Amino acid sequence: MSNNIVLVGFMGTGKSTIGWQLSKRLNYKLIDTDQLIVKRCGRPIPQIFEEDGEAAFREIETAVLKDLLSCRGHIISTGGGIIGSEENRRFLRELGYVIWLCASPEEILDRTARNTNRPLLNNNDPEGTIRCLLEKRNPLYRQVSHLKINTDQLCFEEICMGITESASYHFSQQD
Ligand code: S3P
């Protein structure tokens, strides 16, 4: 197993911010799968969804993830839907220690409300969409992750400290 720390979780659970803080704290390079997709396609995510559809986006997401399999010592932050395919879940586990960041639907709604960059929530019932997707995805986040952290009540400092300590314990058991 590779010693990357992989962050999975629903939109708005803090993966990007926590990824950035962890990379500073541990001096690990940060990789964000959404950013790699945008770079590869030369278009922002809403435009990819609109022009090519979600299925095409998911194919690129899998290709990007597969390309990361040789990475070592990185923080890898992922898009919320990456856990949808079995192949992706296998790649995520191969990549390293997988942390599931979760939050309540209310908190997610609040955190995503002002951002129009998420095509799946750009409709007239974002709350219903969040609840419905969470119901489908939570078992998959659970299945793929080594550790679950509820971000509702914790500050970034506490979350980063928990991840750092549990990851170093986890990696020490790998040798
Ligand atoms: C998605 C989450 C987004 C992005 C895309 C699809 C999803 O990433 O990959 O809009 O299906 O949950 P974030 O979780 O970083 O917002």
Side-chain angles (χ1 to χ4, degrees):
M1 182 180 145
S2 311
N3 66 340
N4 302 292
I5 297 177
V6 184
L7 303 177
V8 300
F10 203 80
M11 296 171 263
T13 52
K15 289 165 294 176
S16 304
T17 312
I18 290 164
W20 184 71
Q21 304 236 358
L22 278 174
S23 88
K24 273 199 311 180
R25 176 190 277 255
L26 297 173
N27 204 18
Y28 277 25
K29 282 208 181 94
L30 174 65
I31 291 179
D32 183 312
T33 57
D34 281 343
Q35 282 177 13
L36 293 179
I37 294 169
V38 168
K39 202 167 160 195
R40 188 176 286 213
C41 296
R43 285 171 292 165
I45 289 178
Q47 199 180 339
I48 303 171
F49 266 70
E50 200 181 313
E51 293 175 355
D52 305 345
E54 183 176 351
F57 174 84
R58 296 298 169 202
E59 274 179 30
I60 305 161
E61 191 170 49
T62 297
V64 157
L65 189 60
K66 196 172 180 183
D67 283 352
L68 295 180
L69 288 176
S70 56
C71 283
R72 302 284 179 274
H74 284 64
I75 307 293
I76 300 172
S77 172
T78 62
I82 206 162
I83 41 67
S85 86
E86 208 205 311
E87 186 180 27
N88 287 2
R89 293 196 295 278
R90 185 159 43 80
F91 290 155
L92 291 164
R93 290 291 288 214
E94 277 177 41
L95 272 172
Y97 186 51
V98 184
I99 313 272
W100 170 20
L101 298 176
C102 70
S104 65
E106 295 78 16
E107 192 67 36
I108 289 171
L109 183 65
D110 191 53
R111 292 185 197 162
T112 55
R114 282 165 299 277
N115 190 327
T116 54
N117 212 21
R118 294 181 169 108
L120 292 179
L121 301 182
N122 278 343
N123 56 50
N124 53 18
D125 183 18
E127 181 172 2
T129 308
I130 290 169
R131 288 184 188 279
C132 176
L133 283 174
L134 278 175
E135 204 172 306
K136 285 194 204 135
R137 291 179 178 179
N138 279 348
L140 304 176
Y141 292 128
R142 182 167 293 113
Q143 196 187 101
V144 77
S145 58
H146 294 93
L147 179 76
K148 174 185 178 186
I149 298 182
N150 188 332
T151 63
D152 280 348
Q153 311 290 342
L154 299 173
C155 68
F156 288 132
E157 183 63 23
E158 291 167 321
I159 296 168
C160 287
M161 197 186 298
I163 293 177
T164 307
E165 291 187 2
S166 60
S168 75
Y169 176 76
H170 179 83
F171 293 136
S172 73
Q173 301 300 300
Q174 303 292 303
D175 305 330

